Amino acid sequence: MSVTADNTSATPGGTHSAPANTAGTGEPLRPHAEDAFADELTALAAHDDRPRPPRWKLSPWAVATYLLGGTLPDGTVITPKYVGPRRIVEVAVSTLATDRALLLLGVPGTAKTWVSEHLAAAVSGDSTLLVQGTAGTPEEAIRYGWNYAQLLANGPSRDALVPSPVMRAMAEGMTARVEELTRIPADVQDTLITILSEKTLPIPELGQEVQAVRGFTLIATANDRDRGVNELSSALRRRFNTVVLPLPASVEAEVDIVSRRVDQIGRSLDLPAVPDGIDEIRRVVTVFRELRDGITADGRTKVKSPSGTLSTAEAISVVTGGLALAAHFGDGVLRPGDVAAGILGAVVRDPAADRVVWQEYLEAVVREREGWTDFYRACRDVSG
């Protein structure tokens, strides 16, 4: 069982949920990957007879199997956590088995954070050594901070030092995660250079340093739409192996991803079971892909693209919201009216420009598409 807020220890600019006994507390709304998929990780470890790098919970082969899914010799089914090219996962896992850091790069909604979390869970059994990058992330979030009460009372000491998630990962041979690296100010980003090149973290106030022990790895994620926000320096970029996570290659692949995640989220939220809504999922995915690509699926009609990303993650959110509407306020069947408002909210981010784009798409594409009459009417009704 994972920790709750009462047992969460904070570090400057990031959080780390320290292991704790949570007997008697409520069940987490979103369990960490190592908790949610503990049975699969245990089954993989039991069948994993391949070499494991120092302090890894699984071999690289088993980590890839955990991410991509498969069936073990005893019939245990490992569900896929990432649906995409196998080689991408193999390159990412192989990078972590070396002394290189891994940078997962891609447009919003390509599962960078999801893959990062599951890699950390499979490699170290702990995905919570996390620094969340923002424009206000301080240097202490990556290096260390101080307990100022102890600092004022006794002066600088190791007892007064508050380790960052990265520092803890170095000392314990674990996997650290840095989310949205390019959101972090450039001078704070460069704090990672010494850590990644020398594998040390100096503590000049104490005349000491923390040396990374074997097993230490670092996974960062970055949104390539943030290019120009806080570009990585060439020195820092050289310390990473970069793996680009692509958008789903086809409608069917994206429908599969959305269906799987919606099912997982629905079960975690105890949403009432809703009959198969694959038709509406396919419509949502098709609309998002066409607006994202600027052309209809048959290649015949060019359309304008809105300002938003219309990612797979947003499609998952739209369908999940639709399921909740169908289950609690409808007849239990996912219908066009259940997803229409969510689509409008995802598409129309700029009320002026995006509304024009959406109205043109509705009239020129959706209205003329065979079998989409109910969907067109539902979207038109919520669009005013």
Side-chain angles (χ1 to χ4, degrees):
M1 182 65 69
S2 178
V3 301
T4 62
D6 293 336
N7 300 105
T8 299
S9 59
T11 57
T15 59
H16 169 62
S17 300
N21 183 356
T22 59
T25 64
E27 189 170 338
L29 180 63
R30 184 191 181 283
H32 298 302
E34 58 272 22
D35 299 325
F37 297 92
D39 291 344
E40 292 186 15
L41 290 167
T42 299
L44 273 166
H47 289 84
D48 186 12
D49 58 358
R50 305 196 182 200
R52 305 180 188 183
R55 293 185 173 81
W56 279 40
K57 301 297 184 182
L58 300 171
S59 69
W61 172 85
V63 173
T65 301
Y66 170 72
L67 265 291
L68 294 166
T71 302
L72 300 182
D74 66 353
T76 300
V77 175
I78 306 300
T79 57
K81 319 302 179 300
Y82 175 72
V83 178
R86 182 178 188 85
R87 199 60 174 172
I88 286 178
V89 173
E90 291 175 344
V91 170
V93 175
S94 297
T95 295
L96 297 177
T98 70
D99 64 349
R100 299 278 289 176
L102 173 65
L103 175 62
L104 299 175
L105 184 68
V107 299
T110 47
K112 299 181 296 296
T113 298
W114 181 253
V115 171
S116 167
E117 179 183 357
H118 282 285
L119 282 171
V123 169
S124 296
D126 186 351
S127 64
T128 65
L129 294 172
L130 169 68
V131 176
Q132 179 61 58
T134 69
T137 300
E139 188 175 295
E140 290 82 358
I142 295 174
R143 298 177 71 238
Y144 51 84
W146 296 97
N147 180 321
Y148 287 104
Q150 290 196 37
L151 187 66
L152 291 173
N154 304 312
S157 67
R158 287 302 290 261
D159 289 338
L161 185 145
V162 179
S164 72
V166 176
M167 184 176 181
R168 284 198 55 193
M170 294 175 69
E172 299 172 20
M174 303 280 280
T175 302
R177 299 166 55 210
V178 180
E179 291 293 321
E180 302 290 356
L181 181 58
T182 49
R183 288 285 178 185
I184 299 175
D187 57 332
V188 178
Q189 289 177 10
D190 284 345
T191 304
L192 288 169
I193 292 177
T194 301
I195 293 172
L196 298 182
S197 59
E198 305 299 327
K199 301 297 187 291
T200 62
L201 177 56
I203 310 175
E205 297 90 341
L206 302 180
Q208 300 176 11
E209 65 178 16
V210 172
Q211 290 188 310
V213 301
R214 297 186 69 184
F216 167 65
T217 58
L218 187 140
I219 307 171
T221 66
N223 175 353
D224 64 6
R225 287 214 174 185
D226 287 342
R227 225 169 260 164
V229 177
N230 291 305
E231 281 281 12
L232 301 184
S233 66
S234 59
L236 181 56
R237 188 174 286 276
R238 287 197 303 272
R239 270 66 183 185
F240 284 99
N241 274 359
T242 300
V243 171
V244 178
L245 298 185
L247 289 164
S250 66
V251 171
E252 292 307 319
E254 193 161 0
V255 168
D256 183 39
I257 294 168
V258 173
S259 300
R260 289 177 185 274
R261 285 294 293 134
V262 166
D263 179 62
Q264 291 170 350
I265 293 170
R267 283 188 278 109
S268 71
L269 296 176
D270 291 329
L271 288 176
V274 173
D276 186 18
I278 195 67
D279 289 340
E280 299 312 321
I281 292 176
R282 183 171 283 104
R283 284 195 182 102
V284 173
V285 168
T286 299
V287 169
F288 277 28
R289 288 180 71 90
E290 290 182 337
L291 288 172
R292 195 166 65 209
D293 296 341
I295 192 168
T296 55
D298 59 12
R300 294 179 180 178
T301 307
K302 290 187 177 181
V303 298
K304 296 177 182 177
S305 295
S307 58
T309 57
L310 300 181
S311 66
T312 307
E314 289 170 296
I316 292 167
S317 178
V318 167
V319 176
T320 302
L323 284 176
L325 279 172
H328 296 300
F329 300 103
D331 60 2
V333 178
L334 187 65
R335 301 185 186 279
D338 300 317
V339 298
I343 293 176
L344 178 66
V347 174
V348 181
R349 299 298 174 86
D350 181 328
D354 290 346
R355 187 170 291 277
V356 173
V357 170
W358 176 235
Q359 292 291 350
E360 289 182 359
Y361 177 77
L362 270 182
E363 299 303 323
V365 177
V366 176
R367 184 179 184 178
E368 304 300 323
R369 189 163 278 163
E370 185 178 353
W372 283 42
T373 302
D374 290 345
F375 183 81
Y376 166 73
R377 288 173 179 166
C379 291
R380 186 187 60 185
D381 289 345
V382 299
S383 299

